[in-house]
Amino acid sequence: MKSYQSLLLGAVVIFLLSGCAVEQATNISPPKFEKSKDLISNMPVKDKASSLIKDALSKIKDAKYYEAIAILNKGLRQQPSNAYLHFLNALSYHYLSLNGDTKMEKLAESGYQTSLRFDGSNYLASYLLGSIYFHQNKFVKAQNYFSRGLMYAPNNPYLLRGLAVSSYYCNDISLSNWASEKADKIDPNNLANIKNLIFIKAAKGEMEEAQHLFKKYR
């Protein structure tokens, strides 16, 4: 069952990341659902957990977060150690917090942590938990979770950008430079990558390079 659910979540993760908003230097964004109807409708159902995951994703896509939470909590009563149910539950709380119900952020944080306890390889959970800590100005914690995610997805540009920005705010210029340059090599036309590089090159005193990047950014 675990291998099947891992494949199922893997498809969801790829889909989520393909719809991520472009991050700004001080705004690391969670994924957005786009063009999701076909993916969800074609998702195979093999057991109760996968059926609940499919139903919950459909509700999240339609911004029916409380309905998604009700579905996922039903599943968690049956399978309290299911990392994927915890992850989607946390994601639902996260969206609620971004829509103005700020007290839900703590529930999202707890949900991502629980999901990672049962499946430490879920790099999207690490990314989203890092984004919560970044939003809370807990930059060292954010840096740690972005780094953790990169252990399982070393070339993921979203994790690299998160690590670059959080490291910059931690005054870890060397690590920020490494992550910024690697992200830029993977995704060279992304404006967030160029913007990160401008800041880090300026911080290193490499003003000629910073000016070159600024022209490219403009």
Side-chain angles (χ1 to χ4, degrees):
M1 180 184 294
K2 183 176 181 180
S3 61
Y4 170 75
Q5 290 184 355
S6 297
L7 289 171
L8 184 63
L9 186 64
V12 173
V13 166
I14 292 169
F15 163 70
L16 287 172
L17 288 179
S18 70
C20 270
V22 175
E23 307 95 328
Q24 299 300 316
T26 57
N27 179 21
I28 299 173
S29 303
K32 290 184 177 180
F33 278 86
E34 295 175 355
K35 300 179 181 178
S36 55
K37 183 178 179 181
D38 290 339
L39 177 78
I40 295 172
S41 63
N42 293 326
M43 200 175 280
V45 174
K46 188 174 181 179
D47 51 34
K48 287 184 179 180
S50 61
S51 177
L52 288 168
I53 288 171
K54 182 175 180 177
D55 289 345
L57 277 170
S58 182
K59 297 298 183 184
I60 295 170
K61 175 190 73 71
D62 294 332
K64 297 177 179 178
Y65 306 121
Y66 287 108
E67 292 183 32
I69 289 167
I71 292 169
L72 294 162
N73 283 337
K74 178 181 177 182
L76 286 169
R77 285 193 291 272
Q78 300 169 3
Q79 298 185 34
S81 61
N82 188 304
Y84 315 111
L85 295 174
H86 280 292
F87 167 72
L88 290 176
N89 210 28
L91 185 65
S92 301
Y93 286 125
H94 199 167
Y95 279 121
L96 283 170
S97 73
L98 292 169
N99 284 330
D101 195 348
T102 55
K103 65 179 181 292
M104 293 296 181
E105 186 175 78
K106 193 67 179 176
L107 293 173
E109 178 185 342
S110 177
Y112 291 136
Q113 289 172 339
T114 303
S115 178
L116 286 167
R117 280 202 297 273
F118 292 119
D119 179 14
S121 66
N122 185 348
Y123 60 88
L124 184 57
S126 294
Y127 171 78
L128 293 171
L129 187 53
S131 75
I132 285 177
Y133 286 130
F134 186 89
H135 179 254
Q136 295 173 351
N137 295 330
K138 298 177 180 177
F139 301 122
V140 173
K141 281 190 172 183
Q143 184 186 49
N144 288 339
Y145 277 99
F146 293 134
S147 296
R148 176 175 176 165
L150 284 167
M151 292 173 60
Y152 300 97
N155 294 317
N156 185 279
Y158 302 96
L159 286 163
L160 286 165
R161 279 192 286 273
L163 180 60
V165 178
S166 57
S167 296
Y168 179 85
Y169 281 98
C170 290
N171 293 317
D172 192 340
I173 303 303
S174 178
L175 184 56
S176 181
N177 183 70
W178 173 84
S180 297
E181 289 185 341
K182 186 170 183 179
D184 187 57
K185 287 179 181 178
I186 294 168
D187 193 7
N189 294 318
N190 188 290
L191 288 177
N193 289 337
I194 301 170
K195 190 173 183 179
N196 289 342
L197 279 169
I198 292 170
F199 279 102
I200 196 64
K201 295 303 180 183
K204 292 182 67 181
E206 299 176 8
M207 301 310 298
E208 185 175 343
E209 179 65 14
Q211 290 173 2
H212 170 74
L213 288 163
F214 182 68
K215 290 179 182 178
K216 182 179 179 180
Y217 182 82
R218 292 188 64 184

